[in-house]
Amino acid sequence: MCGILAIFGCTDNSQAKRARIIELSRRLRHRGPDWSGLHCHEDCYLAHQRLAIVDPTSGDQPLYNEDKTIIVTVNGEIYNHMDLRAKLKSHEFRTGSDCEVIAHLYEEYGEDFVDMLDGMFSFVLLDTRDRSFIAARDPIGITPLYMGWGLDGSIWFASEMKALSDDCERFISFLPGHIYSSKSGELRRWYNPPWYSECIPSTPYEPLVLRKAFEKAVVKRLMTDVPFGVLLSGGLDSSLVAAVASRYLAESNVSRQWGSKLHTFCVGLEGSPDLKAAREVADYLGTHHHEFHFTVQEGIDAIEEVIYHIETYDVTTVRASTPMFLMSRKIKSLGVKMVLSGEGSDEIFGGYLYFHKAPNKEEFHEETCRKIKALHLYDCLRANKSTSAWGVEARVPFLDKDFINVAMDIDPQWKMVRAGVGRIEKWVLRNAFDDDQNPYLPKHILYRQKEQFSDGVGYSWIDGLKDHANRNVSDAMLTKASFIYPENTPTTKEAYYYRTVFEKFFPKNAARSTVPGGPSIACSTAKALEWDAAWSKNPDPSGRAALGIHAAAYNEEADTLASVNNTSLMLDIPQKLQEGIVEATATAV
């Protein structure tokens, strides 16, 4: 990942202003410690902090077209850049950077080229020929981007809020799948896939089609000129990423440079569920596995730094970002600069445990659409910023544009939990990789129950965070929370504690408005709370709050729920999973 900063319409073009922009760009250097660049044209500035992944020797930014009339600063990876170069035979490329293609595509096609890009990206482009500029963000928001306005009328763009919050009166999170054009002065959505309208699809489930689409998504993300690995929690999603990467690594170009033995990484408290499961998967796949431990106190000590980097006070995000932040530091110390990760699968396939209670396929599908559209505020933000804090790039195959189209076109009836016939959460994905002839994973891993990252690193992690918050936030403080924080008022001491840390770094109203709010159960949207009346009594984002579903659900509430509503779910599902006897079935819907 890189860091970008761009300002247009500065009334002050003095040396002091240039120095200020360099200072602000330096706040993003953790994202790109390998090189810094700055281009100034009249009242426009484009700055870049580079993390060199592809073409480390010549791909420094900003990048240009042939006569340097078009300048672009990019954060991300363009996986189909070689195919795009082939369409631009009349153009002369100066570097081997995958991002240089953006300047030439604009020159060839104008503003309507963004949908041709296959990758994760945020970029800002200046056309000096008519003093116009555009900014765009990838379809799902894997890479972060903020947009702001200065009192002098200037317009700002930055990879992280910390680079513009002090100098902009107002700023927002730039919407995924959108482009801003100075010619129209408006944001418009360039990404318009069929699923975005939330219409219910009816395409039959084809396991091999889904499998091939995911394998292709993983393989294209092996594009790298630096050492890489896979974040492996031992759950379904990360294990599939590791399994596919391991299977195809020897055939890829990267193996000639870095070898065909995959490196995998896991973090957790001593004895945590993830550590055990990840070790088993790594042994099965034959990877070079790295296991990192942290203590609850080490995690708590890092909280303030984590919130500074991830720029949110959302409880689930802070919980999960902290171990990922600690792990990324260890990964970087090993010389690794890029990792593959498993984010996005739960949103696409309804993998969170609360989906067990979806009343029908229509509401199931609509909830998955809502979850994907909000990923840039949650898991994408976490995966990107907690790794970029240490100059590590996270790539997410499940959020591949083509794979999402395939997966979201499946009739959602196939995705719904049907315990009576052995269909647990994400059954369509598990079944697609359930190959007895050439197994990807052991059966009991393939059918392991969903474990949220903040839970899987060790249940005492969340319990320790709550205890710490209880010691630092009094009952009186929480009671008066609505007076101190009238917007997105924290309802728990843990949320209150994170909010105070966030406000210390980002005190402006615009900053707190970039963070989503509202009640949640096991990572649900507020709308999905309507699926079960009992959930409103325990609005905790942990997977263990999915009472009667999670094998380690909060006990007291689980007992209450079981006595009230134990007929709507197969309460022996966790036991079936532990025994590894869930059967894949192709029974027609």
Side-chain angles (χ1 to χ4, degrees):
M1 278 300 136
C2 302
I4 64 175
L5 173 65
I7 305 99
F8 301 97
C10 289
T11 55
D12 178 5
N13 59 1
S14 65
Q15 182 59 37
K17 185 65 174 181
R18 182 184 179 93
R20 173 60 175 168
I21 291 169
I22 292 173
E23 176 190 347
L24 294 174
S25 179
R26 198 177 294 130
R27 295 182 184 181
L28 303 173
R29 186 164 291 174
H30 54 276
R31 298 184 61 86
D34 297 334
W35 194 251
S36 302
L38 175 64
H39 180 94
C40 176
H41 176 79
E42 298 178 355
D43 60 354
C44 306
Y45 297 84
L46 286 84
H48 192 267
Q49 301 289 341
R50 188 185 184 204
L51 179 67
I53 303 291
V54 175
D55 185 26
T57 56
S58 69
D60 294 338
Q61 296 194 38
L63 295 161
Y64 306 88
N65 66 335
E66 292 88 342
D67 61 6
K68 294 193 174 183
T69 56
I70 297 170
I71 307 100
V72 63
T73 180
V74 189
N75 168 34
E77 306 291 343
I78 309 302
Y79 303 122
N80 65 335
H81 73 106
M82 294 304 293
D83 293 337
L84 294 172
R85 282 177 182 239
K87 296 179 180 180
L88 298 165
K89 293 179 180 176
S90 63
H91 291 255
E92 180 182 342
F93 287 80
R94 287 190 172 86
T95 76
S97 169
D98 55 295
C99 294
E100 186 184 350
V101 72
I102 293 175
H104 299 282
L105 285 170
Y106 173 83
E107 189 174 27
E108 187 74 20
Y109 298 101
E111 296 180 357
D112 296 327
F113 74 91
V114 184
D115 197 35
M116 300 171 66
L117 302 175
D118 182 7
M120 56 177 186
F121 54 84
S122 297
F123 69 82
V124 182
L125 181 149
L126 171 64
D127 186 344
T128 62
R129 298 171 301 183
D130 59 5
R131 291 175 48 82
S132 66
F133 61 90
I134 61 172
R137 191 177 183 188
D138 66 62
I140 307 300
I142 301 168
T143 61
L145 187 64
Y146 293 84
M147 180 178 184
W149 295 266
L151 288 174
D152 60 353
S154 56
I155 299 180
W156 296 56
F157 301 92
S159 294
E160 294 184 4
M161 190 161 55
K162 58 181 65 66
L164 52 70
S165 58
D166 288 346
D167 291 57
C168 290
E169 188 64 20
R170 179 172 174 258
F171 45 90
I172 60 172
S173 176
F174 194 100
L175 291 172
H178 280 68
I179 181 172
Y180 175 86
S181 170
S182 64
K183 293 177 180 177
S184 66
E186 294 178 345
L187 272 169
R188 63 176 174 86
R189 184 156 54 88
W190 64 264
Y191 178 57
N192 296 286
W195 65 266
Y196 206 90
S197 65
E198 302 185 10
C199 292
I200 311 303
S202 58
T203 303
Y205 167 53
E206 294 287 347
L208 287 181
V209 172
L210 188 65
R211 182 199 297 183
K212 294 301 180 185
F214 184 66
E215 289 180 327
K216 185 177 179 181
V218 173
V219 170
K220 74 173 66 169
R221 282 160 179 77
L222 299 181
M223 180 186 79
T224 177
D225 294 324
V226 299
F228 81 102
V230 174
L231 303 185
L232 178 62
S233 70
L236 173 68
D237 307 328
S238 64
S239 296
L240 284 178
V241 173
V244 174
S246 181
R247 183 167 293 199
Y248 287 94
L249 182 58
E251 304 171 13
S252 68
N253 293 331
V254 71
S255 67
R256 290 194 286 271
Q257 190 171 6
W258 304 109
S260 58
K261 194 175 182 68
L262 184 69
H263 287 256
T264 51
F265 309 95
C266 185
V267 67
L269 305 177
E270 288 278 4
S272 69
D274 279 2
L275 290 179
K276 180 176 181 293
R279 195 178 310 119
E280 185 176 3
V281 174
D283 289 344
Y284 181 83
L285 298 176
T287 71
H288 189 149
H289 190 55
H290 308 265
E291 188 175 284
F292 307 124
H293 303 138
F294 75 102
T295 66
V296 172
Q297 188 58 55
E298 287 172 334
I300 290 172
D301 290 342
I303 288 291
E304 290 206 6
E305 194 175 3
V306 168
I307 291 175
Y308 171 76
H309 277 288
I310 64 175
E311 303 179 322
T312 183
Y313 49 83
D314 174 68
V315 170
T316 309
T317 307
V318 175
R319 288 175 176 178
S321 293
T322 304
M324 200 169 193
F325 172 86
L326 296 172
M327 175 170 57
S328 298
R329 187 175 190 180
K330 291 281 192 179
I331 290 172
K332 187 59 181 287
S333 73
L334 298 174
V336 172
K337 296 172 72 173
M338 187 273 281
V339 292
L340 304 184
S341 192
E343 280 76 19
S345 173
D346 291 314
E347 288 74 14
I348 295 169
F349 296 105
Y352 293 108
L353 297 183
Y354 73 89
F355 275 95
H356 282 243
K357 293 289 189 78
N360 52 60
K361 72 175 188 178
E362 290 79 15
E363 291 199 42
F364 186 105
H365 182 73
E366 289 166 0
E367 176 72 357
T368 60
C369 293
R370 288 192 293 267
K371 291 291 291 181
I372 296 171
K373 292 175 184 178
L375 266 169
H376 68 289
L377 300 171
Y378 297 101
D379 284 20
C380 286
L381 179 150
R382 166 182 56 78
N384 183 282
K385 291 183 179 178
S386 58
T387 55
S388 293
W390 300 106
V392 176
E393 174 177 286
R395 298 180 180 177
V396 282
F398 281 107
L399 296 181
D400 179 82
K401 188 165 61 169
D402 293 334
F403 177 75
I404 292 176
N405 286 342
V406 170
M408 291 301 289
D409 195 41
I410 298 172
D411 187 330
Q413 186 67 46
W414 288 93
K415 296 181 181 180
M416 292 187 69
V417 174
R418 294 182 61 188
V421 295
R423 288 191 195 171
I424 61 173
E425 67 277 353
K426 292 189 288 192
W427 176 84
V428 293
L429 181 62
R430 301 175 196 271
N431 182 64
F433 285 90
D434 194 347
D435 187 339
D436 291 332
Q437 301 302 314
N438 190 14
Y440 287 78
L441 295 168
K443 289 272 191 182
H444 64 283
I445 295 292
L446 196 59
Y447 291 95
R448 184 189 179 199
Q449 186 180 40
K450 163 66 185 173
E451 195 77 82
Q452 286 170 213
F453 184 58
S454 54
D455 287 331
V457 297
Y459 296 142
S460 59
W461 166 235
I462 291 178
D463 298 336
L465 286 173
K466 290 181 176 181
D467 290 343
H468 180 70
N470 287 337
R471 290 191 296 270
N472 285 272
V473 179
S474 67
D475 293 340
M477 291 165 69
L478 187 61
T479 301
K480 301 296 191 297
S482 62
F483 297 101
I484 305 299
Y485 304 118
E487 183 180 356
N488 275 358
T489 303
T491 57
T492 67
K493 291 184 178 181
E494 185 185 5
Y496 192 105
Y497 174 66
Y498 299 154
R499 183 65 170 274
T500 60
V501 176
F502 177 88
E503 296 273 346
K504 180 170 68 173
F505 295 123
F506 309 105
K508 288 188 175 180
N509 290 333
R512 66 182 66 100
S513 296
T514 64
V515 181
S520 174
I521 185 78
C523 288
S524 73
T525 66
K527 177 68 175 175
L529 280 176
E530 299 172 5
W531 294 351
D532 191 322
W535 285 345
S536 62
K537 301 173 184 176
N538 188 44
D540 191 290
S542 168
R544 287 185 291 160
L547 307 177
I549 303 171
H550 195 287
Y554 297 135
N555 292 328
E556 181 180 350
E557 293 88 350
D559 292 340
T560 301
L561 179 62
S563 66
V564 174
N565 187 21
N566 64 358
T567 59
S568 59
L569 291 168
M570 293 288 291
L571 297 181
D572 61 337
I573 287 176
Q575 185 61 38
K576 284 187 177 182
L577 291 170
Q578 292 163 15
E579 295 171 358
I581 62 171
V582 175
E583 298 181 6
T585 175
T587 304
V589 177

